[in-house]
């Protein structure tokens, strides 16, 4: 049992293999003290700061940094940019310091890397590893792609991958290349990239990413793919007893594995797989968290393809637990899920890290996307 004054990063440093212990970050809490932010931080999409508010990472003593930032430095050895490195924020929805009042741009060549630059420079100054998230995701891609021809979309995607990766080459060495391309039945979602570029767009994006930075570690990332059922032909999934042996969304977990197997078989330059792990402790049926054994099996079979596996966006919602459960019981259930899933993952040789999707309940996407909750490992 770890002593109470140990941190996540100190435990990770003693592991017999390199393990990334990371969190996603936002610029406002990273650079501003709570008293400097009188409007609060309601959601990631407007978590912006002015250039003059960003402290110099080389000269600012650690004890003068915001508590949020000090916690990152004491608990984690890696970060991932939560929102500002996605395509649309870079070119369309977040003008950044160019002008806070600027309307969205429709100019494909106009990129604003200032917020990401500040976060990346901070991480490098403090010896934190950085994962880039995400190059190609239909949800946060510029809406004007819909108006383009297939050839124009293909050209725009390639340009975006090369522009972004070349800009951060040598600073960001690990990338989520494509995100959430799978439907719940394990087939490809017919998103803008599928419709414009065809079903092989994922393969093409990885090849472009490798061409842009041959030294980068390239990852495919998806959600609700974390568990794999034990294969037993005698199980009858129509019964309650055997239904609980089945992974929450087995078809998608299989689709995830099959997609990765296909990419590896084609010689596509892919090195890792990210399983998001956005869980609800009170979830039932397909919304329930997978068991540790299910997670272990999924990591193992992906590892057998020659890929590294990470848990990429973990949080554990608790507000849907029974109303009779008090806060202490809810917290205990949440802690058990975090502990069991991570313990199972760490037991697999191909597992190489976990990134939490935030660490403070004050700054969580869940409150904006779902409902009021406390899904992270530190309270507000």
């Amino acid at each position: 049992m770890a002593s109470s004054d140990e941190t996540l990063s100190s435990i990770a440093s003693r592991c017999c293999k390199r393990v990334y212990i990371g969190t996603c970050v936002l610029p406002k809490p990273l650079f501003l003290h709570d008293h400097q932010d009188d409007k609060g931080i309601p959601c990631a999409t407007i978590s912006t700061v002015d250039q003059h508010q960003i402290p110099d990472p080389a000269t600012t003593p650690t004890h003068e940094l915001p508590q949020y930032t000090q916690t990152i430095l004491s608990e984690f050895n890696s970060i991932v940019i939560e929102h500002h490195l996605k395509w649309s924020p870079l070119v369309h929805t977040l003008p950044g310091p160019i002008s806070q009042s600027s309307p969205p741009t429709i100019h494909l060549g106009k990129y604003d890397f200032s917020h990401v630059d500040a976060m990346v420079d901070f991480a490098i100054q403090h010896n934190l590893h950085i994962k880039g998230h995400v190059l190609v995701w239909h949800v946060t891609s510029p809406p004007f792609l819909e108006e383009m021809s297939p050839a124009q979309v293909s050209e725009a995607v390639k340009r975006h991958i090369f522009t972004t990766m070349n800009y951060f080459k040598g600073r960001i060495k690990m990338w989520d290349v494509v995100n959430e391309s799978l439907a719940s039945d394990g087939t490809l979602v017919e998103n803008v990239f599928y419709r414009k570029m065809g079903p092989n767009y994922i393969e093409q994006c990885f090849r472009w990413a490798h061409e842009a930075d041959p030294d980068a570690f390239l990852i495919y990332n998806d959600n609700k793919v974390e568990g794999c059922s034990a294969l037993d032909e005698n199980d009858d999934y129509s019964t309650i007893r055997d239904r609980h042996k089945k992974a929450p969304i087995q078809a998608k977990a299989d689709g995830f594995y099959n997609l990765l197997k296909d990419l590896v078989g084609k010689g596509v330059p892919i090195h890792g797989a990210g399983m998001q792990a956005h869980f609800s402790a009170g979830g039932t049926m397909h919304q329930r968290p997978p068991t540790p054994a299910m997670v272990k099996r999924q990591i193992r079979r992906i590892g057998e393809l020659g890929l590294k596996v990470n848990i990429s966006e973990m949080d554990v919602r608790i507000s849907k637990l029974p109303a009779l459960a008090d806060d202490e019981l809810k917290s205990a259930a949440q802690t058990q899920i975090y502990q069991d899933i991570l313990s199972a993952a760490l037991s697999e040789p191909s597992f190489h890290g976990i990134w939490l999707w935030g660490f403070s309940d004050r700054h969580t996407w869940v409150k904006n996307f779902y409902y009021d909750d406390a899904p992270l490992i530190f309270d507000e």
Side-chain angles (χ1 to χ4, degrees):
M1 192 74 175
S3 63
S4 59
D5 59 347
E6 279 197 301
T7 65
L8 294 173
S9 58
S10 67
I11 294 171
S13 68
R14 296 202 314 273
C15 290
C16 59
K17 64 178 181 179
R18 184 191 189 100
V19 179
Y20 295 104
I21 303 292
T23 179
C24 69
V25 296
L26 294 166
K28 260 193 177 180
L30 187 67
F31 298 125
L32 300 185
H33 292 271
D34 289 345
H35 66 82
Q36 294 176 279
D37 179 30
D38 56 359
K39 296 182 180 179
I41 304 173
C43 66
T45 56
I46 57 173
S47 178
T48 58
V49 295
D50 294 325
Q51 286 293 91
H52 73 273
Q53 295 177 298
I54 299 174
D56 182 349
T59 61
T60 305
T62 300
H63 70 273
E64 293 183 9
L65 295 170
Q67 185 60 50
Y68 173 98
T69 311
Q70 293 185 44
T71 303
I72 290 173
L73 296 180
S74 67
E75 299 289 338
F76 301 97
N77 62 25
S78 178
I79 65 164
V80 59
I81 311 299
E82 178 172 343
H83 181 72
H84 294 68
L85 194 50
K86 294 167 183 173
W87 192 354
S88 192
L90 288 175
V91 305
H92 180 71
T93 58
L94 280 181
I98 292 174
S99 171
Q100 294 289 353
S101 60
S102 292
T105 177
I106 60 171
H107 302 295
L108 282 174
K110 183 181 179 182
Y111 278 73
D112 185 351
F113 291 115
S114 53
H115 281 105
V116 184
D117 264 333
M119 290 184 277
V120 168
D121 289 347
F122 170 85
I124 292 172
Q125 180 66 33
H126 292 281
N127 299 312
L128 295 171
H129 301 280
I130 307 154
K131 182 167 68 166
H133 177 82
V134 54
L135 293 168
V136 178
W137 183 29
H138 61 283
V139 174
T140 55
S141 293
F144 44 72
L145 293 178
E146 292 286 359
E147 309 303 321
M148 293 179 167
S149 69
Q152 289 172 327
V153 170
S154 182
E155 181 183 359
V157 171
K158 181 179 181 180
R159 184 191 301 114
H160 171 63
I161 290 172
F162 272 75
T163 298
T164 306
M165 292 188 71
N166 275 307
Y167 185 84
F168 290 103
K169 185 180 289 186
R171 292 194 289 164
I172 298 180
K173 302 176 182 179
M174 182 186 310
W175 288 91
D176 288 334
V177 179
V178 179
N179 188 49
E180 296 184 9
S181 71
L182 294 172
S184 59
D185 64 357
T187 63
L188 293 178
V189 173
E190 294 187 13
N191 57 40
V192 63
F193 305 112
Y194 182 98
R195 287 184 277 106
K196 300 283 187 174
M197 299 172 61
N200 292 325
Y201 79 90
I202 299 172
E203 173 185 344
Q204 186 60 70
C205 289
F206 274 90
R207 294 193 186 279
W208 283 333
H210 182 66
E211 187 179 350
D213 186 354
D215 296 324
F217 187 92
L218 306 179
I219 302 166
Y220 175 76
N221 191 54
D222 218 316
N223 67 341
K224 296 181 173 64
V225 296
E226 301 84 7
C228 175
S229 306
L231 301 178
D232 187 343
E233 61 184 15
N234 296 318
D235 286 343
D236 178 5
Y237 290 132
S238 66
T239 68
I240 293 177
R241 177 183 65 83
D242 287 344
R243 195 180 302 146
H244 286 284
K245 297 181 182 179
K246 190 175 183 180
I249 307 183
Q250 183 65 45
K252 190 169 186 181
D254 287 341
F256 183 64
Y257 171 78
N258 290 330
L259 172 62
L260 297 168
K261 183 178 180 180
D262 181 64
L263 293 173
V264 170
K266 291 179 178 178
V268 174
I270 179 173
H271 312 111
M275 309 191 307
Q276 292 182 11
H278 293 296
F279 295 146
S280 173
T284 59
M285 303 299 288
H286 68 278
Q287 296 289 343
R288 74 187 191 278
T291 66
M294 292 174 183
V295 172
K296 183 179 177 67
R297 281 192 292 269
Q298 182 74 323
I299 294 173
R300 175 168 293 182
R301 68 171 176 168
I302 294 171
E304 289 172 350
L305 298 175
L307 300 175
K308 296 293 185 182
V309 184
N310 70 78
I311 292 175
S312 58
E313 305 182 17
M314 190 171 184
D315 49 36
V316 181
R317 304 188 298 278
I318 57 174
S319 63
K320 297 303 181 182
L321 285 167
L324 294 177
D326 58 23
D327 289 345
E328 184 176 351
L329 184 58
K330 289 180 179 179
S331 179
Q334 180 186 63
T335 299
Q336 195 67 52
I337 292 173
Y338 273 113
Q339 178 177 317
D340 289 349
I341 296 300
L342 184 55
S343 295
L346 284 168
S347 70
E348 286 300 315
S350 62
F351 181 73
H352 76 144
I354 178 172
W355 281 264
L356 307 181
W357 213 239
F359 61 90
S360 166
D361 292 328
R362 177 177 169 84
H363 311 294
T364 171
W365 72 291
V366 169
K367 294 181 179 179
N368 300 100
F369 193 83
Y370 286 111
Y371 32 69
D372 190 37
D373 209 307
L376 300 173
I377 61 174
F378 292 103
D379 60 25
E380 297 193 7

